[in-house]
Short mmCIF file of all heavy atoms in Angstrom, two decimals:
data_model
loop_
_atom_site.label_atom_id
_atom_site.label_comp_id
_atom_site.label_asym_id
_atom_site.label_seq_id
_atom_site.Cartn_x
_atom_site.Cartn_y
_atom_site.Cartn_z
N MET A 30 9.85 -3.58 -1.82
CA MET A 30 8.76 -3.46 -2.73
C MET A 30 9.26 -3.12 -4.12
O MET A 30 8.78 -3.69 -5.09
CB MET A 30 7.79 -2.38 -2.23
CG MET A 30 6.72 -2.09 -3.22
SD MET A 30 5.44 -0.92 -2.75
CE MET A 30 6.24 0.30 -1.86
N ARG A 31 10.22 -2.22 -4.19
CA ARG A 31 10.73 -1.82 -5.51
C ARG A 31 11.30 -3.01 -6.28
O ARG A 31 11.05 -3.17 -7.46
CB ARG A 31 11.77 -0.73 -5.34
CG ARG A 31 12.32 -0.25 -6.64
CD ARG A 31 13.30 0.88 -6.43
NE ARG A 31 14.03 1.15 -7.64
CZ ARG A 31 15.09 1.91 -7.71
NH1 ARG A 31 15.55 2.49 -6.63
NH2 ARG A 31 15.69 2.10 -8.84
N PHE A 32 12.06 -3.85 -5.59
CA PHE A 32 12.65 -5.01 -6.26
C PHE A 32 11.57 -5.98 -6.73
O PHE A 32 11.67 -6.56 -7.81
CB PHE A 32 13.64 -5.72 -5.35
CG PHE A 32 14.90 -4.93 -5.11
CD1 PHE A 32 15.29 -4.63 -3.82
CD2 PHE A 32 15.67 -4.47 -6.16
CE1 PHE A 32 16.44 -3.89 -3.58
CE2 PHE A 32 16.81 -3.72 -5.93
CZ PHE A 32 17.20 -3.43 -4.65
N ALA A 33 10.53 -6.15 -5.93
CA ALA A 33 9.44 -7.04 -6.34
C ALA A 33 8.77 -6.51 -7.61
O ALA A 33 8.47 -7.27 -8.52
CB ALA A 33 8.42 -7.16 -5.20
N VAL A 34 8.54 -5.21 -7.66
CA VAL A 34 7.94 -4.60 -8.85
C VAL A 34 8.86 -4.78 -10.06
O VAL A 34 8.42 -5.12 -11.15
CB VAL A 34 7.62 -3.11 -8.60
CG1 VAL A 34 7.22 -2.41 -9.89
CG2 VAL A 34 6.52 -2.98 -7.56
N GLU A 35 10.15 -4.56 -9.85
CA GLU A 35 11.11 -4.72 -10.95
C GLU A 35 11.17 -6.16 -11.46
O GLU A 35 11.48 -6.39 -12.62
CB GLU A 35 12.48 -4.24 -10.52
CG GLU A 35 12.54 -2.73 -10.36
CD GLU A 35 13.85 -2.22 -9.82
OE1 GLU A 35 14.71 -3.04 -9.40
OE2 GLU A 35 14.03 -0.99 -9.78
N LEU A 36 10.85 -7.11 -10.59
CA LEU A 36 10.81 -8.52 -10.99
C LEU A 36 9.48 -8.90 -11.62
O LEU A 36 9.29 -10.04 -12.04
CB LEU A 36 11.09 -9.42 -9.78
CG LEU A 36 12.52 -9.39 -9.27
CD1 LEU A 36 12.62 -10.15 -7.95
CD2 LEU A 36 13.47 -9.97 -10.30
N GLY A 37 8.54 -7.95 -11.70
CA GLY A 37 7.28 -8.20 -12.36
C GLY A 37 6.11 -8.56 -11.46
O GLY A 37 5.04 -8.92 -11.95
N TYR A 38 6.30 -8.49 -10.15
CA TYR A 38 5.21 -8.80 -9.23
C TYR A 38 4.28 -7.61 -9.09
O TYR A 38 4.70 -6.46 -9.13
CB TYR A 38 5.76 -9.15 -7.84
CG TYR A 38 6.50 -10.45 -7.80
CD1 TYR A 38 7.88 -10.49 -7.90
CD2 TYR A 38 5.81 -11.65 -7.66
CE1 TYR A 38 8.57 -11.69 -7.86
CE2 TYR A 38 6.50 -12.86 -7.62
CZ TYR A 38 7.88 -12.87 -7.72
OH TYR A 38 8.55 -14.05 -7.68
N ASP A 39 2.98 -7.90 -8.90
CA ASP A 39 2.03 -6.87 -8.50
C ASP A 39 2.10 -6.77 -6.98
O ASP A 39 1.91 -7.77 -6.29
CB ASP A 39 0.60 -7.25 -8.91
CG ASP A 39 0.38 -7.13 -10.41
OD1 ASP A 39 1.02 -6.26 -11.04
OD2 ASP A 39 -0.42 -7.90 -10.95
N VAL A 40 2.39 -5.60 -6.49
CA VAL A 40 2.60 -5.40 -5.05
C VAL A 40 1.40 -4.70 -4.44
O VAL A 40 0.91 -3.70 -4.97
CB VAL A 40 3.88 -4.57 -4.80
CG1 VAL A 40 4.05 -4.26 -3.33
CG2 VAL A 40 5.09 -5.29 -5.35
N THR A 41 0.93 -5.23 -3.32
CA THR A 41 -0.14 -4.61 -2.55
C THR A 41 0.43 -4.14 -1.23
O THR A 41 1.15 -4.89 -0.56
CB THR A 41 -1.29 -5.61 -2.30
OG1 THR A 41 -1.84 -6.00 -3.56
CG2 THR A 41 -2.38 -5.01 -1.44
N VAL A 42 0.10 -2.93 -0.84
CA VAL A 42 0.57 -2.35 0.42
C VAL A 42 -0.65 -2.12 1.32
O VAL A 42 -1.64 -1.53 0.88
CB VAL A 42 1.30 -1.01 0.19
CG1 VAL A 42 1.66 -0.36 1.51
CG2 VAL A 42 2.54 -1.22 -0.66
N ALA A 43 -0.56 -2.59 2.54
CA ALA A 43 -1.59 -2.29 3.54
C ALA A 43 -1.15 -1.03 4.27
O ALA A 43 -0.25 -1.05 5.10
CB ALA A 43 -1.75 -3.45 4.52
N LYS A 44 -1.77 0.10 3.92
CA LYS A 44 -1.31 1.40 4.42
C LYS A 44 -1.44 1.55 5.92
O LYS A 44 -0.69 2.31 6.52
CB LYS A 44 -2.01 2.54 3.70
CG LYS A 44 -3.50 2.64 3.95
CD LYS A 44 -4.07 3.78 3.14
CE LYS A 44 -5.57 3.86 3.26
NZ LYS A 44 -6.09 4.95 2.45
N ASP A 45 -2.34 0.82 6.55
CA ASP A 45 -2.46 0.93 8.00
C ASP A 45 -1.58 -0.10 8.72
O ASP A 45 -1.65 -0.23 9.94
CB ASP A 45 -3.92 0.81 8.44
CG ASP A 45 -4.58 -0.49 8.02
OD1 ASP A 45 -4.10 -1.14 7.07
OD2 ASP A 45 -5.59 -0.86 8.63
N ALA A 46 -0.75 -0.80 7.97
CA ALA A 46 0.19 -1.77 8.56
C ALA A 46 1.62 -1.42 8.19
O ALA A 46 2.50 -2.27 8.16
CB ALA A 46 -0.16 -3.18 8.10
N THR A 47 1.85 -0.15 7.86
CA THR A 47 3.19 0.32 7.53
C THR A 47 3.52 1.48 8.46
O THR A 47 2.64 2.07 9.07
CB THR A 47 3.28 0.81 6.07
OG1 THR A 47 2.33 1.85 5.88
CG2 THR A 47 3.01 -0.31 5.10
N ALA A 48 4.80 1.77 8.57
CA ALA A 48 5.23 2.85 9.47
C ALA A 48 6.42 3.58 8.88
O ALA A 48 7.10 3.09 7.99
CB ALA A 48 5.61 2.27 10.83
N ASP A 49 6.63 4.77 9.41
CA ASP A 49 7.79 5.56 9.05
C ASP A 49 8.19 6.36 10.28
O ASP A 49 7.53 6.27 11.33
CB ASP A 49 7.48 6.49 7.86
CG ASP A 49 8.71 6.74 7.00
OD1 ASP A 49 9.81 6.90 7.56
OD2 ASP A 49 8.56 6.76 5.77
N HIS A 50 9.21 7.16 10.17
CA HIS A 50 9.74 7.89 11.32
C HIS A 50 8.80 8.98 11.82
O HIS A 50 8.86 9.36 12.97
CB HIS A 50 11.09 8.50 10.99
CG HIS A 50 12.14 7.47 10.70
ND1 HIS A 50 12.71 6.71 11.69
CD2 HIS A 50 12.69 7.07 9.54
CE1 HIS A 50 13.58 5.87 11.15
NE2 HIS A 50 13.58 6.06 9.85
N SER A 51 7.94 9.50 10.96
CA SER A 51 6.99 10.54 11.36
C SER A 51 5.77 10.49 10.47
O SER A 51 5.77 9.86 9.42
CB SER A 51 7.65 11.93 11.24
OG SER A 51 7.82 12.28 9.87
N GLU A 52 4.72 11.15 10.90
CA GLU A 52 3.50 11.23 10.09
C GLU A 52 3.79 11.90 8.75
O GLU A 52 3.25 11.52 7.72
CB GLU A 52 2.41 12.01 10.84
CG GLU A 52 1.75 11.23 11.95
CD GLU A 52 0.89 10.09 11.43
OE1 GLU A 52 0.23 10.24 10.39
OE2 GLU A 52 0.90 9.04 12.08
N GLU A 53 4.66 12.90 8.76
CA GLU A 53 5.01 13.61 7.54
C GLU A 53 5.67 12.66 6.53
O GLU A 53 5.33 12.66 5.35
CB GLU A 53 5.95 14.77 7.85
CG GLU A 53 6.38 15.57 6.65
CD GLU A 53 7.34 16.69 7.00
OE1 GLU A 53 7.88 16.72 8.12
OE2 GLU A 53 7.58 17.53 6.12
N PHE A 54 6.61 11.86 7.00
CA PHE A 54 7.28 10.89 6.11
C PHE A 54 6.30 9.82 5.63
O PHE A 54 6.35 9.38 4.49
CB PHE A 54 8.46 10.23 6.80
CG PHE A 54 9.63 11.14 7.04
CD1 PHE A 54 10.44 10.95 8.14
CD2 PHE A 54 9.94 12.17 6.18
CE1 PHE A 54 11.53 11.77 8.37
CE2 PHE A 54 11.02 13.00 6.40
CZ PHE A 54 11.82 12.81 7.50
N MET A 55 5.40 9.39 6.52
CA MET A 55 4.44 8.37 6.14
C MET A 55 3.49 8.91 5.08
O MET A 55 3.20 8.22 4.09
CB MET A 55 3.65 7.92 7.38
CG MET A 55 2.83 6.68 7.16
SD MET A 55 3.86 5.20 7.00
CE MET A 55 3.41 4.71 5.36
N HIS A 56 3.04 10.13 5.25
CA HIS A 56 2.17 10.76 4.25
C HIS A 56 2.89 10.85 2.91
O HIS A 56 2.32 10.54 1.87
CB HIS A 56 1.72 12.13 4.73
CG HIS A 56 0.87 12.86 3.74
ND1 HIS A 56 -0.46 12.56 3.54
CD2 HIS A 56 1.17 13.84 2.87
CE1 HIS A 56 -0.94 13.33 2.60
NE2 HIS A 56 0.02 14.13 2.17
N ALA A 57 4.15 11.29 2.94
CA ALA A 57 4.94 11.40 1.70
C ALA A 57 5.07 10.04 1.02
O ALA A 57 4.94 9.94 -0.20
CB ALA A 57 6.31 12.00 2.00
N ALA A 58 5.29 9.01 1.80
CA ALA A 58 5.43 7.67 1.22
C ALA A 58 4.12 7.23 0.58
O ALA A 58 4.10 6.76 -0.56
CB ALA A 58 5.87 6.67 2.29
N LEU A 59 3.01 7.38 1.30
CA LEU A 59 1.72 6.90 0.81
C LEU A 59 1.20 7.70 -0.39
O LEU A 59 0.57 7.15 -1.28
CB LEU A 59 0.68 6.93 1.92
CG LEU A 59 0.83 5.88 3.00
CD1 LEU A 59 -0.14 6.14 4.14
CD2 LEU A 59 0.62 4.49 2.43
N VAL A 60 1.48 8.99 -0.41
CA VAL A 60 0.92 9.83 -1.46
C VAL A 60 1.86 10.02 -2.63
O VAL A 60 1.44 10.07 -3.78
CB VAL A 60 0.51 11.20 -0.87
CG1 VAL A 60 0.06 12.16 -1.94
CG2 VAL A 60 -0.59 11.01 0.17
N THR A 61 3.16 10.07 -2.35
CA THR A 61 4.12 10.39 -3.40
C THR A 61 4.87 9.17 -3.93
O THR A 61 4.94 8.97 -5.14
CB THR A 61 5.15 11.42 -2.88
OG1 THR A 61 4.45 12.55 -2.38
CG2 THR A 61 6.10 11.85 -3.97
N ASN A 62 5.42 8.36 -3.06
CA ASN A 62 6.31 7.28 -3.49
C ASN A 62 5.61 5.96 -3.80
O ASN A 62 5.83 5.37 -4.85
CB ASN A 62 7.40 7.04 -2.45
CG ASN A 62 8.30 8.24 -2.30
OD1 ASN A 62 8.55 8.95 -3.27
ND2 ASN A 62 8.77 8.49 -1.10
N LEU A 63 4.81 5.47 -2.89
CA LEU A 63 4.22 4.14 -3.05
C LEU A 63 3.34 3.99 -4.28
O LEU A 63 3.36 2.94 -4.92
CB LEU A 63 3.46 3.73 -1.79
CG LEU A 63 4.33 3.51 -0.55
CD1 LEU A 63 3.47 3.11 0.63
CD2 LEU A 63 5.41 2.49 -0.80
N PRO A 64 2.56 5.01 -4.67
CA PRO A 64 1.75 4.84 -5.89
C PRO A 64 2.58 4.57 -7.15
O PRO A 64 2.07 4.03 -8.12
CB PRO A 64 0.98 6.16 -6.00
CG PRO A 64 0.89 6.64 -4.59
CD PRO A 64 2.20 6.25 -3.98
N ASN A 65 3.86 4.93 -7.13
CA ASN A 65 4.73 4.64 -8.27
C ASN A 65 5.07 3.16 -8.38
O ASN A 65 5.50 2.70 -9.44
CB ASN A 65 6.02 5.45 -8.18
CG ASN A 65 5.77 6.93 -8.33
OD1 ASN A 65 5.01 7.35 -9.18
ND2 ASN A 65 6.40 7.71 -7.48
N TYR A 66 4.90 2.42 -7.30
CA TYR A 66 5.31 1.02 -7.28
C TYR A 66 4.16 0.06 -7.00
O TYR A 66 4.07 -1.00 -7.62
CB TYR A 66 6.39 0.80 -6.21
CG TYR A 66 7.63 1.62 -6.45
CD1 TYR A 66 7.89 2.75 -5.71
CD2 TYR A 66 8.53 1.26 -7.44
CE1 TYR A 66 9.02 3.52 -5.94
CE2 TYR A 66 9.67 2.01 -7.68
CZ TYR A 66 9.90 3.14 -6.93
OH TYR A 66 11.02 3.89 -7.16
N ALA A 67 3.32 0.37 -6.07
CA ALA A 67 2.27 -0.55 -5.64
C ALA A 67 1.14 -0.65 -6.66
O ALA A 67 0.71 0.36 -7.21
CB ALA A 67 1.71 -0.12 -4.29
N SER A 68 0.67 -1.86 -6.88
CA SER A 68 -0.51 -2.06 -7.71
C SER A 68 -1.76 -1.66 -6.95
O SER A 68 -2.72 -1.18 -7.53
CB SER A 68 -0.63 -3.53 -8.11
OG SER A 68 0.47 -3.92 -8.87
N SER A 69 -1.73 -1.89 -5.64
CA SER A 69 -2.87 -1.55 -4.77
C SER A 69 -2.34 -1.02 -3.45
O SER A 69 -1.38 -1.56 -2.90
CB SER A 69 -3.72 -2.78 -4.47
OG SER A 69 -4.28 -3.30 -5.64
N ILE A 70 -3.00 0.01 -2.96
CA ILE A 70 -2.74 0.52 -1.62
C ILE A 70 -4.08 0.46 -0.91
O ILE A 70 -5.01 1.17 -1.25
CB ILE A 70 -2.17 1.95 -1.64
CG1 ILE A 70 -0.85 1.98 -2.40
CG2 ILE A 70 -1.98 2.46 -0.21
CD1 ILE A 70 -0.27 3.36 -2.60
N VAL A 71 -4.16 -0.43 0.07
CA VAL A 71 -5.43 -0.75 0.71
C VAL A 71 -5.25 -0.74 2.23
O VAL A 71 -4.17 -0.48 2.74
CB VAL A 71 -5.93 -2.13 0.24
CG1 VAL A 71 -6.18 -2.15 -1.26
CG2 VAL A 71 -4.94 -3.22 0.61
N ILE A 72 -6.32 -1.06 2.95
CA ILE A 72 -6.23 -1.23 4.40
C ILE A 72 -6.15 -2.72 4.71
O ILE A 72 -6.50 -3.56 3.89
CB ILE A 72 -7.39 -0.55 5.15
CG1 ILE A 72 -8.73 -1.13 4.73
CG2 ILE A 72 -7.36 0.96 4.94
CD1 ILE A 72 -9.91 -0.66 5.56
N THR A 73 -5.71 -3.03 5.90
CA THR A 73 -5.51 -4.42 6.31
C THR A 73 -6.77 -5.26 6.16
O THR A 73 -6.71 -6.41 5.74
CB THR A 73 -5.00 -4.47 7.76
OG1 THR A 73 -3.82 -3.67 7.86
CG2 THR A 73 -4.67 -5.88 8.19
N GLN A 74 -7.92 -4.69 6.48
CA GLN A 74 -9.17 -5.44 6.38
C GLN A 74 -9.41 -5.92 4.95
O GLN A 74 -9.89 -7.04 4.73
CB GLN A 74 -10.36 -4.60 6.85
CG GLN A 74 -11.66 -5.36 6.88
CD GLN A 74 -11.64 -6.51 7.88
OE1 GLN A 74 -11.29 -6.30 9.04
NE2 GLN A 74 -11.99 -7.70 7.44
N GLU A 75 -9.06 -5.12 3.97
CA GLU A 75 -9.22 -5.53 2.57
C GLU A 75 -8.30 -6.69 2.22
O GLU A 75 -8.67 -7.58 1.45
CB GLU A 75 -8.95 -4.35 1.64
CG GLU A 75 -10.01 -3.26 1.74
CD GLU A 75 -9.65 -2.05 0.92
OE1 GLU A 75 -8.92 -1.19 1.43
OE2 GLU A 75 -10.08 -1.99 -0.25
N VAL A 76 -7.10 -6.70 2.80
CA VAL A 76 -6.17 -7.80 2.56
C VAL A 76 -6.72 -9.09 3.17
O VAL A 76 -6.73 -10.13 2.52
CB VAL A 76 -4.76 -7.49 3.14
CG1 VAL A 76 -3.84 -8.69 3.03
CG2 VAL A 76 -4.16 -6.28 2.45
N THR A 77 -7.18 -9.01 4.43
CA THR A 77 -7.71 -10.22 5.07
C THR A 77 -8.96 -10.70 4.37
O THR A 77 -9.15 -11.92 4.22
CB THR A 77 -7.96 -10.00 6.58
OG1 THR A 77 -8.86 -8.91 6.76
CG2 THR A 77 -6.67 -9.73 7.32
N ASP A 78 -9.83 -9.80 3.92
CA ASP A 78 -11.02 -10.21 3.16
C ASP A 78 -10.62 -10.95 1.89
O ASP A 78 -11.21 -11.97 1.54
CB ASP A 78 -11.89 -9.01 2.80
CG ASP A 78 -12.62 -8.41 3.98
OD1 ASP A 78 -12.65 -9.04 5.07
OD2 ASP A 78 -13.17 -7.30 3.82
N ALA A 79 -9.61 -10.43 1.19
CA ALA A 79 -9.15 -11.07 -0.04
C ALA A 79 -8.55 -12.45 0.25
O ALA A 79 -8.79 -13.41 -0.49
CB ALA A 79 -8.14 -10.19 -0.76
N LEU A 80 -7.77 -12.56 1.32
CA LEU A 80 -7.17 -13.84 1.66
C LEU A 80 -8.22 -14.87 2.06
O LEU A 80 -8.05 -16.07 1.81
CB LEU A 80 -6.15 -13.67 2.80
CG LEU A 80 -4.89 -12.91 2.43
CD1 LEU A 80 -4.05 -12.62 3.68
CD2 LEU A 80 -4.07 -13.68 1.41
N LEU A 81 -9.30 -14.41 2.67
CA LEU A 81 -10.38 -15.31 3.07
C LEU A 81 -11.35 -15.59 1.93
O LEU A 81 -12.26 -16.39 2.07
CB LEU A 81 -11.14 -14.72 4.27
CG LEU A 81 -10.34 -14.61 5.56
CD1 LEU A 81 -11.12 -13.84 6.59
CD2 LEU A 81 -9.96 -15.99 6.07
N GLY A 82 -11.16 -14.92 0.81
CA GLY A 82 -12.01 -15.14 -0.34
C GLY A 82 -13.31 -14.36 -0.30
O GLY A 82 -14.19 -14.59 -1.12
N ASP A 83 -13.44 -13.43 0.65
CA ASP A 83 -14.66 -12.66 0.78
C ASP A 83 -14.80 -11.58 -0.30
O ASP A 83 -15.89 -11.25 -0.72
CB ASP A 83 -14.75 -11.98 2.15
CG ASP A 83 -14.88 -13.00 3.28
OD1 ASP A 83 -15.29 -14.14 3.00
OD2 ASP A 83 -14.57 -12.63 4.42
N ARG A 84 -13.66 -11.05 -0.73
CA ARG A 84 -13.71 -9.95 -1.69
C ARG A 84 -12.34 -9.80 -2.33
O ARG A 84 -11.33 -9.78 -1.64
CB ARG A 84 -14.07 -8.68 -0.92
CG ARG A 84 -14.25 -7.46 -1.71
CD ARG A 84 -14.72 -6.30 -0.87
NE ARG A 84 -14.44 -6.48 0.55
CZ ARG A 84 -14.70 -5.57 1.47
NH1 ARG A 84 -15.24 -4.45 1.13
NH2 ARG A 84 -14.42 -5.79 2.72
N PRO A 85 -12.26 -9.70 -3.66
CA PRO A 85 -10.96 -9.51 -4.31
C PRO A 85 -10.43 -8.10 -4.07
O PRO A 85 -11.21 -7.16 -3.84
CB PRO A 85 -11.26 -9.72 -5.80
CG PRO A 85 -12.71 -9.41 -5.93
CD PRO A 85 -13.35 -9.78 -4.62
N LEU A 86 -9.12 -7.95 -4.10
CA LEU A 86 -8.51 -6.63 -3.96
C LEU A 86 -8.69 -5.84 -5.23
O LEU A 86 -8.51 -6.37 -6.33
CB LEU A 86 -7.01 -6.76 -3.67
CG LEU A 86 -6.64 -7.16 -2.26
CD1 LEU A 86 -5.14 -7.38 -2.18
CD2 LEU A 86 -7.06 -6.13 -1.25
N ALA A 87 -9.01 -4.58 -5.09
CA ALA A 87 -9.11 -3.69 -6.25
C ALA A 87 -7.70 -3.35 -6.70
O ALA A 87 -6.81 -3.14 -5.89
CB ALA A 87 -9.86 -2.42 -5.87
N GLN A 88 -7.47 -3.31 -8.00
CA GLN A 88 -6.16 -2.95 -8.53
C GLN A 88 -6.12 -1.45 -8.73
O GLN A 88 -6.47 -0.93 -9.76
CB GLN A 88 -5.90 -3.67 -9.85
CG GLN A 88 -5.73 -5.16 -9.69
CD GLN A 88 -4.51 -5.50 -8.87
OE1 GLN A 88 -3.42 -5.03 -9.16
NE2 GLN A 88 -4.68 -6.30 -7.85
N SER A 89 -5.73 -0.74 -7.69
CA SER A 89 -5.67 0.71 -7.72
C SER A 89 -4.48 1.17 -6.94
O SER A 89 -4.15 0.63 -5.91
CB SER A 89 -6.95 1.28 -7.09
OG SER A 89 -6.80 2.65 -6.88
N SER A 90 -3.80 2.19 -7.43
CA SER A 90 -2.66 2.71 -6.71
C SER A 90 -3.04 4.00 -5.98
O SER A 90 -2.20 4.79 -5.64
CB SER A 90 -1.48 2.96 -7.65
OG SER A 90 -1.85 3.88 -8.66
N SER A 91 -4.30 4.20 -5.74
CA SER A 91 -4.76 5.40 -5.04
C SER A 91 -4.37 5.30 -3.58
O SER A 91 -4.61 4.32 -2.91
CB SER A 91 -6.27 5.54 -5.16
OG SER A 91 -6.72 6.59 -4.35
N ALA A 92 -3.78 6.36 -3.06
CA ALA A 92 -3.40 6.42 -1.65
C ALA A 92 -4.24 7.45 -0.93
O ALA A 92 -3.80 8.05 0.03
CB ALA A 92 -1.92 6.75 -1.52
N MET A 93 -5.45 7.66 -1.39
CA MET A 93 -6.29 8.67 -0.78
C MET A 93 -6.60 8.29 0.65
O MET A 93 -6.71 7.13 0.99
CB MET A 93 -7.57 8.83 -1.58
CG MET A 93 -7.24 9.16 -2.99
SD MET A 93 -8.33 10.13 -3.96
CE MET A 93 -9.11 11.25 -2.92
N GLY A 94 -6.69 9.25 1.49
CA GLY A 94 -6.94 9.01 2.90
C GLY A 94 -5.64 9.08 3.67
O GLY A 94 -4.56 9.17 3.11
N ASP A 95 -5.76 9.06 4.98
CA ASP A 95 -4.55 9.15 5.79
C ASP A 95 -3.90 7.79 5.97
O ASP A 95 -4.40 6.78 5.52
CB ASP A 95 -4.86 9.79 7.14
CG ASP A 95 -5.74 8.92 8.03
OD1 ASP A 95 -6.44 8.03 7.51
OD2 ASP A 95 -5.72 9.12 9.22
N ALA A 96 -2.78 7.78 6.64
CA ALA A 96 -1.99 6.55 6.79
C ALA A 96 -2.68 5.53 7.68
O ALA A 96 -2.25 4.39 7.76
CB ALA A 96 -0.62 6.89 7.36
N HIS A 97 -3.74 5.90 8.37
CA HIS A 97 -4.37 4.98 9.30
C HIS A 97 -5.73 4.51 8.83
O HIS A 97 -6.51 4.01 9.59
CB HIS A 97 -4.49 5.65 10.67
CG HIS A 97 -3.16 6.05 11.23
ND1 HIS A 97 -2.22 5.13 11.61
CD2 HIS A 97 -2.60 7.25 11.39
CE1 HIS A 97 -1.13 5.76 12.01
NE2 HIS A 97 -1.35 7.04 11.88
N GLY A 98 -6.00 4.64 7.55
CA GLY A 98 -7.22 4.07 7.04
C GLY A 98 -8.17 5.10 6.63
O GLY A 98 -9.16 5.08 6.11
#
């Protein structure tokens, strides 16, 4: 993700489709690290809705909520 951002891409992360070694590490990634890089941190349903044309993704780096949605 970092390299994509450095290349100028807007990166979207599906927070309920990512994993880490523990809940503590996942929380740290979603709340502390990923907002520095991701244009959007969303749930998988928002990604599929956007791909199907039902709803555009919001451009927000908010990681509010837990790692599972």
Side-chain angles (χ1 to χ4, degrees):
M30 173 176 39
R31 181 177 168 192
F32 291 124
V34 170
E35 290 175 352
L36 290 171
Y38 291 97
D39 287 329
V40 176
T41 298
V42 175
K44 66 182 175 181
D45 59 339
T47 59
D49 211 321
H50 296 286
S51 71
E52 285 291 323
E53 180 181 14
F54 290 148
M55 192 71 241
H56 178 77
L59 288 172
V60 174
T61 305
N62 296 326
L63 293 180
N65 293 317
Y66 300 104
S68 298
S69 298
I70 299 175
V71 298
I72 61 172
T73 305
Q74 185 64 52
E75 292 174 275
V76 174
T77 57
D78 288 349
L80 291 172
L81 294 172
D83 294 339
R84 184 175 20 176
L86 284 174
Q88 292 296 308
S89 168
S90 60
S91 173
M93 304 210 33
D95 68 339
H97 300 293

